[in-house]
Amino acid sequence: MVLDKIKKANDIKKLSPQEVDILRDEIREFLIDSISVTGGHLASNLGVVELTMALHLSLDLPTDKIVWDVGHQSYTHKILTGRKDGFASLRKFGGMSGFPKTDESDCDCFNTGHSSTSISAGLGLAMARQITGDDYHVVSVIGDGALTGGMAYEALNNASSIESNFIIVLNDNNMSISENVGGVSHYLSGFRTADAYRDLKNNVMNSLNQIPVYGERMVKRIRNTKSSIKQLFIPGMFFEEMGIIYLGPVDGSDIGEMCRIFEEAKRVDGPVLVHVITKKGAGYLPAEKFPARFHGAEPFDIATGLPKNKRTKANYTDVFSTVMVKAGERNEKLVAITAAMADGTGLRRYRRCYPKRFFDVGIAEGHAVTFAAGLAKAGLIPVFAVYSSFLQRGFDQIIHDVCIQNLHVIFAIDRAGLVGSDGETHQGIFDISYLSQIPNMTVLAPKNKWELSDMIKFAIDFDGPIAIRYPRGLAYDGLKEYRSPIRFAKSETIFKGTDVAILALGSMVKTAETVCGILKEHGITATLINARFAKPFDGEVIKSLTAHHHTIVTMEENVKSAGFGEHVAEYLEDNGIDLKLINISIPDAYVEHGNVDKLKEMLKIDALSVADRIINEVL
């Protein structure tokens, strides 16, 4: 196999043109075979096989730098830098990350995981090179979807200030451009980057400017005329007006043509954007037909494209989806917002049922929050469904645009807690900390699927900012006999015991239930309280524990710092409550990728570890 010849960076350059063609097919086959076993981001990686190969043929790694926006499309890059064997452990605990990691390879120049960051990071690297006088190329690869994020435009706005080469590759897997426009643009791209053209343009403009009075007018007239012509023929006029030279569009399946245009781009003294047309899921029909399904794929059968492990139970996202559809039927003021994640957050059904009350704002979480604030100010009830780690990007807007005005915006926070395989950039372990510090914010977490339903209904009837955090994965269907009505800032007592009281929040109630069973085997009967509210929490129930308990245990799937446990500790101190506190939470650290159960064991927040700690500290 030609693929076996790729042991390290730049080995692709040793191949003949015929071997390069073979390698393309072998990489695609390898990705399909590998991800069908481990799961991972398939469609996005199949779409950029040729693009990645062309970049590696045109650049010298690791001297040259490639910044991958989001980073979930970097699998071919990992293969071409000698990490093929790592795919057996892809996204597993202790194994290879599904995203670029600087501590994994010196060919990964910048860690990424969230969208719309690559141009900013690449511009920083290029500016640093300009200051230090180093000699290397910087390429930022960004997808057309990531250009819906405002940060990308902030970076583009500043990119024109660089005076040395900076290449932006727009991986466009959505828009189609006709052959006529593409042909004219291709011709003008090559012509405008030629040295002779640039010299002629500069000489003409300089000469005209020397003519008294009329010279400046003539230059202005030429520029206006040139802009009008460009508007007709160049699809990248938007970038040109920002001071960024536009090249393309180029066929993202044509390695030779991309190499040619990358060589042109490398000659530009300043920012240049190369527009590459790709097809998401290219080379595997199921992924081509259903790219969203194969964005983050579970292990699947190659012949059919169907998941190997079929779900028989609903997950929390399914529950949210069902409740939203029913609530939308009852309340015409209910509107739903997503940031390019209608499928992932479960809003696809809502969109189908109530298209006029559904809004996809693109990858723009900050905008989504303030947009929701505007809707709420006008009397509607907006629900912003968003992954926990992505909501971090709207923190400022939550404070200034929602909570200061005390507006009724509902945050449905999916993937709260540990999410597993995507690792540090996707773990939802900070939301309790950053939300609970904001005045006027209310934060809830359900113990099971029925409580999630009840909390959504409570939030719709609420008046003010409110967030409901729920985990990734199957919805817990235990403890269904415990379903007391949701009351503001009130907990729910599940079991009554003595000595130790466990105050568990959300997903940790299930863990605490098991902990109570283990403690009972050691002669410790524990009170189990479902906290329900992270903010404001039930202070009265804590006060009531002093009569029969000497220890309180808080359990949360969030970092310790500024988390639920620390707020409870502060409450105990402020109110002079003499109870020993055991804080069960995630250490203040970034958590790597891996199976969630394995991560919980490592972090010692699994049932056995929690029970052992309580036993050791109590007995």
Side-chain angles (χ1 to χ4, degrees), residues 311-326 343-349 414-415 449 452-453 456 470-475:
R311 281 195 294 115
T312 58
K313 293 183 179 180
N315 59 31
Y316 281 101
T317 305
D318 296 331
V319 174
F320 168 74
S321 176
T322 299
V323 176
M324 280 294 293
V325 170
K326 292 179 179 178
D343 291 333
T345 59
L347 286 177
R348 181 173 57 178
R349 288 171 58 197
D414 203 332
R415 271 67 166 178
K449 64 181 184 181
L452 174 57
S453 175
I456 295 170
Y470 45 93
R472 181 181 189 178
L474 296 180

Side-chain angles (χ1 to χ4, degrees), residues 103 191 226 236 343 386 438:
D103 59 1
F191 179 68
K226 186 178 77 169
D343 291 333
V386 59
I438 305 175

Side-chain angles (χ1 to χ4, degrees), residues 338-534:
T338 182
M341 296 294 292
D343 291 333
T345 59
L347 286 177
R348 181 173 57 178
R349 288 171 58 197
Y350 193 94
R351 175 180 60 190
R352 188 168 60 245
C353 294
Y354 316 108
K356 292 185 178 180
R357 288 189 277 146
F358 169 83
F359 305 96
D360 186 343
V361 300
I363 304 174
E365 290 83 2
H367 162 62
V369 174
T370 303
F371 174 60
L375 292 170
K377 193 70 174 177
L380 298 180
I381 305 173
V383 178
F384 178 27
V386 59
Y387 289 6
S388 173
S389 72
F390 297 161
L391 183 58
Q392 294 162 185
R393 296 157 69 97
F395 178 71
D396 180 73
Q397 290 78 11
I398 295 172
I399 294 176
H400 289 274
D401 300 326
V402 175
C403 289
I404 286 180
Q405 300 184 83
N406 202 28
L407 295 174
H408 185 197
V409 174
I410 301 169
F411 297 94
I413 307 177
D414 203 332
R415 271 67 166 178
L418 298 169
V419 300
S421 301
D422 285 334
E424 298 98 325
T425 56
H426 287 63
Q427 311 284 16
I429 58 176
F430 301 103
D431 54 80
I432 293 176
S433 299
Y434 69 76
L435 290 175
S436 62
Q437 65 180 290
I438 305 175
N440 292 336
M441 176 60 78
T442 295
V443 184
L444 301 87
K447 69 178 182 293
N448 58 23
K449 64 181 184 181
W450 293 283
E451 196 159 74
L452 174 57
S453 175
D454 293 342
M455 286 182 174
I456 295 170
K457 296 169 187 174
F458 174 85
I460 292 172
D461 294 333
F462 193 68
D463 185 17
I466 186 167
I468 306 169
R469 70 184 307 265
Y470 45 93
R472 181 181 189 178
L474 296 180
Y476 183 47
D477 56 7
L479 298 174
K480 62 182 178 181
E481 65 272 28
Y482 299 94
R483 196 175 180 180
S484 59
I486 308 291
R487 293 185 298 144
F488 181 71
K490 292 300 179 183
S491 60
E492 175 190 49
T493 300
I494 295 177
F495 305 143
K496 286 188 176 181
T498 57
D499 297 325
V500 174
I502 300 177
L503 193 60
L505 183 67
S507 61
M508 294 302 282
V509 174
K510 176 184 177 182
T511 304
E513 183 184 9
T514 304
V515 170
C516 288
I518 299 173
L519 294 179
K520 189 174 182 180
E521 294 174 359
H522 288 76
I524 302 173
T525 59
T527 293
L528 175 56
I529 299 170
N530 169 25
R532 285 185 166 170
F533 287 80

